[in-house]
Amino acid sequence: MSISVQHPPLTHEPATSTEGMTTTLESSLLNLLHQHQVSSSSLRNQTEKSKKEAIKAGIRVSELMVDAVNGGVQESFLHQKQIELEIRSLTVTINRFHKQTQQWLNASRSLNTAIKEIGDFENWIKVMEYDCKSITTAIRNIHQA
């Protein structure tokens, strides 16, 4: 804002007395002082208004930044909760599969044991059959002799 300087009106009459000149000079100085006060007040009001607007804008910017950061944090928190739920679900599934695997191992061990016992029984029967044949042959030999 520019300060306009008003000059006292020029009169065609020369000032003859120092008293008239002093009054004109004094009124010009008073007029300049008044203009300065008005412009200073206007600048002060404009500065205060700009300061308040700057503070409001700064507050709004900080709120937007906090919202932006919190939005990311909130999204991360939701993702973390989903991951934790998936981990729990997978842990339950893994435990169920582990128990099922143990049951299968126990069943296969039992089956192996049963097969070995069958093999042992079959071998015992073969031994018994051989012994019976040996005894039968010995009895025939004794009976023929």
Short mmCIF file of all heavy atoms in Angstrom, two decimals, residues 14-15 43 51 63 67-68 70 77 87 90 95 106 110 136 145:
data_model
loop_
_atom_site.label_atom_id
_atom_site.label_comp_id
_atom_site.label_asym_id
_atom_site.label_seq_id
_atom_site.Cartn_x
_atom_site.Cartn_y
_atom_site.Cartn_z
N PRO A 14 0.84 35.05 -1.82
CA PRO A 14 2.01 34.75 -1.00
C PRO A 14 1.71 34.97 0.46
O PRO A 14 0.94 35.85 0.83
CB PRO A 14 3.05 35.75 -1.50
CG PRO A 14 2.30 36.80 -2.21
CD PRO A 14 0.98 36.25 -2.62
N ALA A 15 2.27 34.11 1.27
CA ALA A 15 2.06 34.25 2.71
C ALA A 15 2.87 35.43 3.19
O ALA A 15 4.06 35.49 2.95
CB ALA A 15 2.47 32.97 3.43
N LEU A 43 -2.39 -1.12 7.65
CA LEU A 43 -1.35 -2.15 7.52
C LEU A 43 -1.37 -3.13 8.68
O LEU A 43 -1.21 -4.34 8.51
CB LEU A 43 0.03 -1.51 7.40
CG LEU A 43 0.40 -0.95 6.03
CD1 LEU A 43 1.73 -0.21 6.13
CD2 LEU A 43 0.49 -2.06 5.01
N LYS A 51 -1.95 -12.81 9.31
CA LYS A 51 -1.38 -13.69 10.36
C LYS A 51 -2.41 -14.74 10.77
O LYS A 51 -2.10 -15.93 10.87
CB LYS A 51 -0.96 -12.85 11.56
CG LYS A 51 -0.37 -13.64 12.69
CD LYS A 51 0.00 -12.73 13.84
CE LYS A 51 0.46 -13.47 15.06
NZ LYS A 51 0.74 -12.58 16.19
N GLU A 63 -3.38 -30.68 10.30
CA GLU A 63 -4.46 -31.66 10.44
C GLU A 63 -4.46 -32.63 9.27
O GLU A 63 -4.64 -33.84 9.45
CB GLU A 63 -5.81 -30.94 10.53
CG GLU A 63 -6.04 -30.23 11.84
CD GLU A 63 -7.32 -29.39 11.83
OE1 GLU A 63 -7.94 -29.23 10.74
OE2 GLU A 63 -7.69 -28.88 12.90
N ASP A 67 -3.90 -36.58 9.47
CA ASP A 67 -4.87 -37.50 8.89
C ASP A 67 -4.21 -38.44 7.89
O ASP A 67 -4.50 -39.63 7.85
CB ASP A 67 -6.00 -36.74 8.20
CG ASP A 67 -6.93 -36.05 9.20
OD1 ASP A 67 -6.88 -36.40 10.39
OD2 ASP A 67 -7.70 -35.16 8.77
N ALA A 68 -3.30 -37.89 7.07
CA ALA A 68 -2.61 -38.72 6.08
C ALA A 68 -1.76 -39.79 6.77
O ALA A 68 -1.78 -40.96 6.39
CB ALA A 68 -1.74 -37.86 5.17
N ASN A 70 -2.09 -40.89 9.93
CA ASN A 70 -2.94 -41.81 10.67
C ASN A 70 -3.67 -42.76 9.74
O ASN A 70 -3.92 -43.91 10.10
CB ASN A 70 -3.95 -41.03 11.52
CG ASN A 70 -3.32 -40.47 12.77
OD1 ASN A 70 -2.25 -40.87 13.17
ND2 ASN A 70 -3.98 -39.52 13.40
N PHE A 77 -2.45 -51.14 10.56
CA PHE A 77 -2.99 -51.84 11.71
C PHE A 77 -4.01 -52.89 11.27
O PHE A 77 -4.01 -54.03 11.76
CB PHE A 77 -3.63 -50.84 12.68
CG PHE A 77 -4.17 -51.45 13.93
CD1 PHE A 77 -3.33 -51.91 14.92
CD2 PHE A 77 -5.54 -51.57 14.12
CE1 PHE A 77 -3.83 -52.47 16.08
CE2 PHE A 77 -6.05 -52.13 15.27
CZ PHE A 77 -5.20 -52.58 16.25
N ILE A 87 -2.44 -66.10 10.52
CA ILE A 87 -1.43 -66.90 11.23
C ILE A 87 -2.11 -67.86 12.18
O ILE A 87 -1.75 -69.05 12.25
CB ILE A 87 -0.43 -65.98 11.97
CG1 ILE A 87 0.48 -65.29 10.97
CG2 ILE A 87 0.37 -66.77 13.00
CD1 ILE A 87 1.37 -64.22 11.59
N LEU A 90 -3.73 -70.62 10.15
CA LEU A 90 -2.70 -71.54 9.65
C LEU A 90 -2.13 -72.41 10.77
O LEU A 90 -1.84 -73.59 10.55
CB LEU A 90 -1.58 -70.76 8.96
CG LEU A 90 -1.94 -70.16 7.60
CD1 LEU A 90 -0.80 -69.27 7.11
CD2 LEU A 90 -2.25 -71.24 6.60
N ASN A 95 -1.53 -77.69 13.06
CA ASN A 95 -1.68 -78.62 14.20
C ASN A 95 -2.58 -79.80 13.82
O ASN A 95 -2.30 -80.95 14.19
CB ASN A 95 -2.23 -77.89 15.42
CG ASN A 95 -1.18 -77.01 16.07
OD1 ASN A 95 0.01 -77.24 15.93
ND2 ASN A 95 -1.63 -75.99 16.76
N ASN A 106 1.32 -93.81 13.03
CA ASN A 106 0.99 -94.89 13.97
C ASN A 106 0.29 -96.04 13.24
O ASN A 106 0.58 -97.22 13.51
CB ASN A 106 0.12 -94.36 15.11
CG ASN A 106 0.89 -93.44 16.03
OD1 ASN A 106 2.12 -93.50 16.10
ND2 ASN A 106 0.18 -92.56 16.72
N SER A 110 1.72 -99.80 12.85
CA SER A 110 0.91 -100.97 13.25
C SER A 110 0.78 -101.96 12.11
O SER A 110 0.88 -103.18 12.30
CB SER A 110 -0.49 -100.52 13.70
OG SER A 110 -0.39 -99.71 14.83
N THR A 136 7.66 -137.31 9.45
CA THR A 136 6.95 -138.28 8.61
C THR A 136 7.95 -139.16 7.87
O THR A 136 7.80 -140.40 7.77
CB THR A 136 6.04 -137.54 7.59
OG1 THR A 136 5.17 -136.68 8.27
CG2 THR A 136 5.24 -138.51 6.76
N ALA A 145 11.85 -150.22 7.53
CA ALA A 145 13.05 -150.94 7.86
C ALA A 145 12.78 -152.11 8.72
O ALA A 145 12.29 -153.07 8.78
CB ALA A 145 13.97 -150.05 8.64
#
